């Protein structure tokens, strides 16, 4: 019994020393790590209007089509999640597959932007970026890949101007806001949007982040940081972790008037899917979305739940339409090993097959 006790004490002390050594090694790694491995795929600024910038990526291989593709992300997060790491870059994979890519960078709104409207974003900045690409390539139509809120905006644009869009890809984008599957959809229905916008003008990104984190508080505020200890001395693990942390908390504020209409008309009154939504006095009829549609959905997405994304396929007028689902979450759908192996190749092939 005495021997067992001594052994137990020795083992316990050994584990403590191992943990201490891991912590010391981890601090050394942390002090010298390079984790800003994002937004590294080369691109050039080709058009700018106020804070909106349009970039064209420098192709890694000869494009397999003359139809360029515009990538449009949400206003609420930064688009570099699609170019987060060289070995997980959705953008680089699409380029390698043979697409000619542009991307919109919405920027960070400041106080002077509080009166920017949804009309300004969709018919103004987005429409002008699309027209710039059409004019540059002397084409009537271009392709679009759109993510999250960007997918909602691009679908609205496609319904108003179907003659300018050849193929539309939506990824983890909301269209039917009546669902109660996700906490975000429940909370939004009772949000005092007018009070929030009137008080702040520019809705703070920190407010939006607190909402997103509250969806999975234990996982996002406790569990992942406990798990970090075991990988603290692993340079690759720590680099991935810190890169994702930077993106998660890099949330631009929201221009108040655009946010007001977006939340009240769509999240609270669900006007888009019901055919009641108007933009600039024009009714937005999803049946006017007649171009080929690929709707990509993450089955594990707790932010934009599948029930909010899937109804798009039944609402549009497209005859060539496809709904694909993958067992991934909201970020993993464009930043994971599965997105590299399956999702980006699927999107690229689907577009190339329809861009001849």
């Amino acid at each position: 019994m005495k021997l067992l006790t001594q052994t137990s004490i020795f083992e316990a002390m050994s584990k403590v020393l191992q943990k201490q050594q891991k912590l010391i090694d981890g601090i050394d790694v942390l002090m010298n790590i390079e984790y800003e491995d994002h937004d590294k795929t080369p691109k050039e600024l080709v058009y700018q209007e106020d804070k909106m910038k349009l970039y064209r990526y420098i192709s890694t291989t000869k494009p397999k089509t003359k139809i360029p593709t515009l990538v449009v992300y949400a206003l609420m997060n930064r688009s570099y999640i699609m170019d987060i790491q060289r070995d997980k870059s959705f953008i680089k994979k699409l380029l390698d597959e043979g697409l000619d890519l542009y991307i919109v960078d919405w920027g960070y709104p400041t106080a002077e932007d509080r009166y920017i409207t949804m009309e300004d974003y969709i018919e103004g900045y987005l429409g002008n970026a699309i027209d710039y690409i059409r004019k540059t390539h002397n084409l009537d139509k271009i392709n679009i890949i759109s993510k999250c809120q960007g997918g909602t905006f691009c679908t609205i644009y496609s319904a108003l101007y179907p003659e300018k869009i050849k193929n539309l890809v939506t990824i983890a984008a909301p269209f039917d806001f009546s669902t109660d599957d996700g906490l975000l959809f429940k909370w939004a229905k009772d949000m005092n949007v007018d009070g929030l916008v009137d008080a702040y003008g520019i809705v703070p990104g920190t407010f939006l982040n607190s909402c997103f984190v509250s969806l999975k508080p234990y996982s996002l505020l406790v569990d992942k940081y406990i798990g970090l200890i075991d990988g603290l001395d692993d340079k690759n693990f720590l680099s991935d972790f810190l890169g994702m942390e930077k993106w998660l908390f890099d949330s631009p504020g929201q221009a108040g008037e655009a946010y007001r209409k977006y939340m009240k008309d769509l999240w609270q009154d669900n006007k888009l899917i019901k055919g009641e939504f108007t933009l600039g006095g024009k009714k937005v009829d999803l049946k006017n979305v007649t171009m080929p549609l690929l709707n990509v959905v993450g089955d594990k997405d707790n932010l934009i739940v599948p029930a909010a994304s899937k109804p798009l396929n039944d609402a549009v007028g497209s005859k060539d339409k496809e709904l694909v689902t993958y067992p991934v979450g909201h970020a993993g759908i464009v930043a994971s090993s599965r997105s590299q192996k399956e999702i980006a190749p699927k999107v690229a092939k689907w577009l190339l097959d329809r861009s001849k």
Side-chain angles (χ1 to χ4, degrees), residues 27-246:
I27 291 173
D28 183 60
V29 172
L30 196 59
M31 294 293 289
N32 297 286
I33 197 166
E34 171 58 57
Y35 67 89
E36 296 204 354
D37 185 21
H38 61 75
D39 213 15
K40 295 294 179 67
T41 302
K43 62 182 184 296
E44 58 180 353
L45 179 65
V46 294
Y47 175 78
Q48 181 170 2
E49 185 176 353
D50 299 331
K51 293 184 173 67
M52 188 278 287
K53 297 178 180 178
L54 176 66
Y55 292 93
R56 185 180 188 181
Y57 285 100
I58 298 173
S59 296
T60 54
T61 183
K62 184 179 179 181
K64 297 177 181 176
T65 175
K66 294 181 179 179
I67 310 295
T69 298
L70 175 62
V71 179
V72 182
Y73 204 79
L75 300 171
M76 298 179 178
N77 287 108
R78 300 293 291 155
S79 60
Y80 61 75
I81 186 63
M82 303 181 77
D83 192 22
I84 191 75
Q85 293 154 343
R86 295 295 292 174
D87 62 339
K88 292 180 183 174
S89 171
F90 200 81
I91 292 294
K92 183 176 182 302
K93 189 67 175 177
L94 293 175
L95 289 171
D96 291 344
E97 295 287 328
L99 295 184
D100 181 3
L101 289 181
Y102 289 79
I103 192 167
V104 166
D105 181 345
W106 297 112
Y108 296 85
T110 55
E112 64 185 4
D113 301 316
R114 66 174 296 172
Y115 296 111
I116 291 179
T117 63
M118 277 188 75
E119 286 83 353
D120 294 326
Y121 276 119
I122 296 175
E123 292 192 287
Y125 298 132
L126 176 60
N128 292 339
I130 290 171
D131 285 344
Y132 172 88
I133 299 170
R134 293 169 60 238
K135 183 178 180 181
T136 298
H137 292 261
N138 193 27
L139 291 169
D140 293 330
K141 300 181 179 182
I142 67 168
N143 295 330
I144 284 183
I145 295 174
S146 52
K147 170 74 163 59
C148 190
Q149 183 190 30
T152 313
F153 279 18
C154 288
T155 300
I156 292 171
Y157 183 88
S158 299
L160 292 173
Y161 304 98
E163 70 278 8
K164 297 183 181 182
I165 309 302
K166 187 169 182 60
N167 298 293
L168 174 63
V169 178
T170 58
I171 302 175
F175 303 101
D176 185 349
F177 300 83
S178 66
T179 180
D180 284 331
D181 278 4
L183 286 176
L184 208 57
F185 290 86
K186 292 181 180 179
W187 294 342
K189 291 179 177 61
D190 295 318
M191 179 185 293
N192 183 352
V193 178
D194 286 331
L196 184 65
V197 172
D198 292 344
Y200 285 103
I202 297 294
V203 179
T206 50
F207 166 78
L208 300 172
N209 252 324
S210 65
C211 294
F212 300 151
V213 169
S214 298
L215 296 175
K216 298 175 71 175
Y218 181 78
S219 173
L220 294 176
L221 293 174
V222 180
D223 191 45
K224 69 175 181 180
Y225 296 113
I226 293 175
L228 174 63
I229 296 174
D230 289 334
L232 201 57
D233 57 346
D234 184 332
K235 183 178 178 181
N236 292 329
F237 171 83
L238 197 57
S239 176
D240 290 352
F241 181 87
L242 292 174
M244 189 59 74
E245 284 291 286
K246 175 179 170 56

Side-chain angles (χ1 to χ4, degrees), residues 258-276:
Y259 186 78
R260 191 195 305 270
K261 182 175 179 64
Y262 176 64
M263 293 304 297
K264 295 183 71 172
D265 282 8
L266 301 187
W267 285 79
Q268 294 186 337
D269 294 337
N270 199 28
K271 290 183 177 179
L272 181 59
I273 204 78
K274 292 193 295 188
E276 300 172 357

